[in-house]
């Protein structure tokens, strides 16, 4: 509903795609497909910014206006700024990227890279998706996920706490409790 | 004939005594290993009063973020001096740790070189490397780790994967068996591990090298009962 309304105002609504330090061409290709970009535009997003890492697939840039504006870069030291100014984040499944986005309270779709050899990364994304903190997709299901998503149903993530571990370590070593 | 027979029985005695000597030595080593495994992972009955030298093995990316979250809440006056180790291919982690230490310095006025040191180590296994070639790279990493461990001889080891911590923990275990240094090893499994332990975590768990192994998801603790569930660090 909110998506519809913003179709008509001129505010920037950025979708930020991040693949982290490696390459994830399957994801970049998926977000670069015309139907996917149309879907984002229909949902009221105005800009698509892609951090493509070491990937070899280069998405097509677009000025926007009557369609989605598309831009991309390889790496940036200010990923945090991009996350901050985004209305929707589509990220690889690395835990650093996931928690940084959740901490900022941004709606998040995690796309699992099925080409990785030791693919434990889907565990975390699926667990957090079960708890409704984010959406979890594969490159080939991303379009459907965006089409079906209801961002109001996402549950805000409350950050964890390291004090229980610290307490156990202290106790084990014989330090008195504070 | 006589001489030969005599020689025979003499060498028989020698081989029997070497054999029994070997048996005794092997038994002693096994008993010592069992002692380290079974009696080691128990809290000290005495109260710790002096600060403990602490080795912090940093992973990369998400691993480092989790470790730093733990370090923020640990009492720095108890865990000092601190030695940070990260993979040679990973500059970011040591930078982040340095940032944390610098912030501490700004607060307390102590100089960083007195309380914290930063080192790099060869990595035993890169992300995506096959398990077969990682045997060779692990060996190289072992030798480098041994050199660092001889220099540091930490009383406390904190690690949360990935592979970098395995050589360190194996050597620490060896030092315990040999009586060189008794260090307490704490392993915090990454929050990314929800259903299964990582290779590092599994090795430390199976070989009982960690004194305490913490996991961040309850279902993981149910699968590995000797682990301790501590909730999320992130």
């Amino acid at each position: 509903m909110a998506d519809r309304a913003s179709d008509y105002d001129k505010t920037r609504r950025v979708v930020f795609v991040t693949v982290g330090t490696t390459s994830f061409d399957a994801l970049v290709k998926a977000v670069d497909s015309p139907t996917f970009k149309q879907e984002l535009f229909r949902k009221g997003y105005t800009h698509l910014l892609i951090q493509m890492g070491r990937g070899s697939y280069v998405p097509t840039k677009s000025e926007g206006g009557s369609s989605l504006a598309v831009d991309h870069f390889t790496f940036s030291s200010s990923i945090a700024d991009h996350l901050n100014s985004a209305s929707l984040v589509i990220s690889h499944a690395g835990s650093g990227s996931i928690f940084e986005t959740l901490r900022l309270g941004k709606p998040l779709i995690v796309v699992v890279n099925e080409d990785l050899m030791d693919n434990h990364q889907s565990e975390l994304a699926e667990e957090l998706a079960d708890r409704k903190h984010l959406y979890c997709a594969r490159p080939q299901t991303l379009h459907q996920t965006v089409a079906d998503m209801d961002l109001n149903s996402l549950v805000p993530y409350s950050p964890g706490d390291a004090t229980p571990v610290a307490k156990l370590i202290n106790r084990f070593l014989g330090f008195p409790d504070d | 004939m006589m001489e030969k027979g005599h020689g025979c029985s003499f060498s028989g005695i020698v081989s029997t005594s070497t054999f029994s000597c070997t048996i005794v030595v092997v038994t002693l080593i096994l008993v010592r290993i069992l002692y380290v495994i079974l009696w080691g992972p128990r809290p000290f009955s005495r109260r710790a009063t002096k600060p403990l030298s602490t080795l912090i093995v940093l992973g990369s990316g998400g691993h480092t973020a989790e470790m730093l979250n733990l370090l923020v809440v640990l009492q720095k006056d108890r865990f000092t001096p601190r030695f940070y180790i990260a993979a040679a291919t990973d500059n970011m982690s040591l930078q982040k740790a340095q940032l944390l230490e610098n912030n501490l310095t700004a607060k307390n006025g102590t100089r960083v070189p007195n309380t914290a040191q930063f080192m790099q180590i060869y990595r035993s296994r890169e992300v995506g490397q096959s398990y077969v070639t990682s045997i060779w790279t692990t060996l190289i990493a072992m030798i480098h780790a041994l050199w660092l461990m001889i220099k540091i001889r930490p009383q406390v080891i904190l690690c949360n994967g990935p592979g970098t911590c395995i050589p360190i923990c194996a050597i620490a275990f060896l030092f315990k068996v040999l009586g060189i240094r008794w260090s307490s090893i704490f392993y915090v499994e990454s929050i990314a591990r929800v259903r299964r332990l990582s290779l590092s975590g599994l090795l430390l768990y199976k070989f009982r090298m960690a004194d305490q192994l913490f996991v961040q998801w309850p279902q993981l603790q149910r699968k590995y009962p000797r682990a301790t569930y501590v909730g999320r660090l992130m």
Side-chain angles (χ1 to χ4, degrees):
Chain A
M1 272 190 342
D3 292 340
R4 274 282 144 212
S6 51
D7 246 335
Y8 303 101
D9 65 45
K10 289 280 170 255
T11 53
R12 268 169 73 94
R13 295 192 75 225
V14 182
V15 178
F16 180 54
V17 179
T18 175
V19 308
T21 51
T22 53
S23 66
F24 192 178
D25 277 344
L27 171 58
V28 180
K29 265 181 210 166
V31 297
D32 193 40
S33 83
T35 51
F36 183 75
K37 286 189 276 194
Q38 273 166 25
E39 183 65 44
L40 287 182
F41 197 64
R42 197 161 47 234
K43 286 263 174 187
Y45 297 102
T46 57
H47 292 71
L48 175 63
L49 182 60
I50 305 166
Q51 182 264 318
M52 51 179 280
R54 283 191 240 276
S56 53
Y57 178 84
V58 182
T60 41
K61 288 197 185 195
S62 158
E63 287 297 323
S66 58
S67 66
L68 196 70
V70 184
D71 200 0
H72 59 80
F73 60 90
T74 51
F75 294 101
S76 164
S77 55
S78 54
I79 292 291
D81 296 338
H82 292 300
L83 291 173
N84 227 337
S85 56
S87 301
L88 172 69
V89 177
I90 300 176
S91 168
H92 71 114
S95 69
S97 180
I98 290 178
F99 288 109
E100 198 172 354
T101 309
L102 290 180
R103 219 173 17 249
L104 291 168
K106 299 290 179 180
L108 171 63
I109 302 173
V110 171
V111 182
V112 175
N113 189 352
E114 291 172 312
D115 298 334
L116 290 180
M117 190 187 81
D118 177 21
N119 200 357
H120 71 271
Q121 287 194 321
S122 65
E123 286 182 22
L124 178 65
E126 280 160 11
E127 177 68 29
L128 293 171
D130 284 347
R131 294 169 181 240
K132 300 257 181 285
H133 297 307
L134 49 80
Y135 286 103
C136 180
R138 316 276 150 170
Q140 62 273 20
T141 63
L142 180 61
H143 185 273
Q144 201 55 47
T145 305
V146 169
D148 297 343
M149 70 183 182
D150 170 20
L151 297 185
N152 293 323
S153 71
L154 287 178
V155 179
Y157 181 81
S158 49
D161 180 15
T163 44
V165 197
K167 201 168 263 179
L168 285 172
I169 292 174
N170 271 291
R171 204 170 286 169
F172 185 92
L173 295 169
F175 286 117
D177 284 339
D178 288 325
Chain B
M1 279 290 276
M2 282 295 281
E3 258 186 34
K4 203 180 175 190
H6 184 252
C8 254
S9 67
F10 180 71
S11 71
I13 292 165
V14 169
S15 65
T16 316
S17 59
T18 15
F19 182 69
S20 43
C21 264
T22 319
I23 289 284
V24 168
V25 169
V26 168
T27 314
L28 280 176
I29 292 172
L30 283 178
V31 166
R32 176 67 184 170
I33 290 174
L34 274 178
Y35 171 77
V36 170
I37 286 177
L38 298 175
W39 275 266
R42 289 189 180 183
F44 296 130
S45 51
R46 60 176 172 80
R47 292 238 160 253
T49 44
K50 279 187 281 183
L52 302 172
S53 65
T54 304
L55 173 64
I56 298 137
V57 187
L58 295 173
S60 55
H63 289 281
T64 301
E66 290 175 44
M67 182 57 86
L68 294 184
N69 274 4
L70 169 59
L71 289 174
V72 165
V73 297
L74 271 186
Q75 297 85 339
K76 307 305 174 299
D77 54 327
R78 293 176 177 179
F79 299 88
T80 196
R82 290 177 293 284
F83 301 89
Y84 292 89
I85 285 192
T89 49
D90 171 23
N91 290 319
M92 289 299 290
S93 294
L94 284 184
Q95 274 176 29
K96 284 176 191 160
Q98 203 136 23
L99 200 68
L100 178 97
E101 288 290 340
N102 287 343
N103 287 343
L104 277 175
T105 312
K107 250 193 278 174
N108 304 334
T110 50
R111 283 182 56 239
V112 170
N114 298 336
T115 55
Q117 281 187 47
F118 306 89
M119 299 158 181
Q120 293 190 312
I121 191 170
Y122 291 114
R123 210 164 154 169
S124 53
R125 189 174 163 266
E126 295 293 334
V127 172
Q129 191 184 335
S130 79
Y131 289 118
V132 180
T133 57
S134 63
I135 292 172
W136 169 245
T137 45
T138 301
L139 197 69
I140 304 229
M142 285 292 275
I143 294 163
H144 191 220
L146 183 64
W147 168 242
L148 289 174
M149 283 292 285
I150 289 169
K151 279 204 297 188
I152 302 172
R153 293 195 308 281
Q155 291 163 296
V156 175
I157 298 175
L158 301 176
C159 49
N160 64 343
T164 327
C165 71
I166 287 299
I168 298 279
C169 291
I171 291 159
F173 187 80
L174 188 72
F175 281 10
K176 272 178 165 177
V177 172
L178 298 176
I180 295 173
R181 167 66 91 187
W182 193 275
S183 37
S184 303
I185 304 172
F186 301 98
Y187 180 84
V188 190
E189 185 56 282
S190 165
I191 194 168
R193 300 299 178 150
V194 180
R195 293 192 282 264
R196 280 180 308 142
L197 287 176
S198 65
L199 182 62
S200 307
L202 196 66
L203 284 171
L204 292 180
Y205 184 85
K206 290 285 181 202
F207 291 104
R208 298 172 189 246
M209 279 191 282
D211 292 285
Q212 290 209 295
L213 193 140
F214 303 113
V215 293
Q216 303 188 44
W217 297 99
Q219 58 267 50
L220 209 52
Q221 198 277 328
R222 283 195 291 274
K223 190 165 177 194
Y224 306 94
R226 279 186 280 118
T228 310
Y229 168 63
V230 288
R232 289 175 286 109
L233 283 184
M234 295 295 288

